Amino acid sequence: MILLQSIYTLVASLRAIADIKSLMVISGCKTDFWLVKTVAALVIAISICLISGLFFRGNPLPILILSLTSAIALSTIDLYYLTNNTIGSVYLLDAVAHLIFTMISMILLMNAKRWRT
């Protein structure tokens, strides 16, 4: 699940940086390119941390917490700006994806005791 979340956010963020015009075809016009690219760079950092956590054995708690909190933050942002009609309805799909990642992360955190080293 964490790998799926990481790949999803990494690909979306790389697209925002590499080809913002194709992103705007789907998500609508953007005026603050610097902000889109700054947020994308931060999400790339989160994705890389999540992916790297999969390759190191040890306590999974920090990676699970990062997975949970980033999914909560991104879904909250999507839903807040959707309800204010600031962003397009395509972001509802993104919010749903992050809500699913939130629920799965919560389940994994509740079961994390079994994985402790």
Side-chain angles (χ1 to χ4, degrees):
M1 185 293 303
I2 291 177
L3 182 60
L4 178 63
Q5 178 184 6
S6 303
I7 292 170
Y8 174 79
T9 56
L10 183 63
V11 168
S13 299
L14 287 172
R15 181 178 187 183
I17 290 176
D19 189 8
I20 198 162
K21 289 181 182 180
S22 74
L23 174 74
M24 290 191 300
V25 168
I26 295 171
S27 64
C29 186
K30 309 283 183 246
T31 55
D32 293 331
F33 290 174
W34 69 271
L35 182 58
V36 173
K37 292 183 179 206
T38 300
V39 171
L42 292 170
V43 174
I44 287 169
I46 292 168
S47 299
I48 290 170
C49 286
L50 291 173
I51 290 169
S52 67
L54 296 173
F55 295 100
F56 296 101
R57 297 221 175 229
N59 186 350
L61 195 58
I63 295 301
L64 291 173
I65 291 170
L66 179 59
S67 173
L68 175 64
T69 57
S70 62
I72 289 171
L74 293 170
S75 62
T76 301
I77 291 166
D78 285 339
L79 293 172
Y80 177 81
Y81 288 105
L82 270 165
T83 58
N84 290 321
N85 294 320
T86 304
I87 58 177
S89 59
V90 71
Y91 283 96
L92 181 57
L93 297 173
D94 191 56
V96 168
H98 289 293
L99 288 171
I100 291 168
F101 296 142
T102 298
M103 290 185 291
I104 295 170
S105 294
M106 290 173 73
I107 292 167
L108 291 172
L109 271 168
M110 287 187 281
N111 294 317
K113 289 180 186 177
R114 286 188 255 158
W115 301 336
R116 291 195 80 146
T117 57

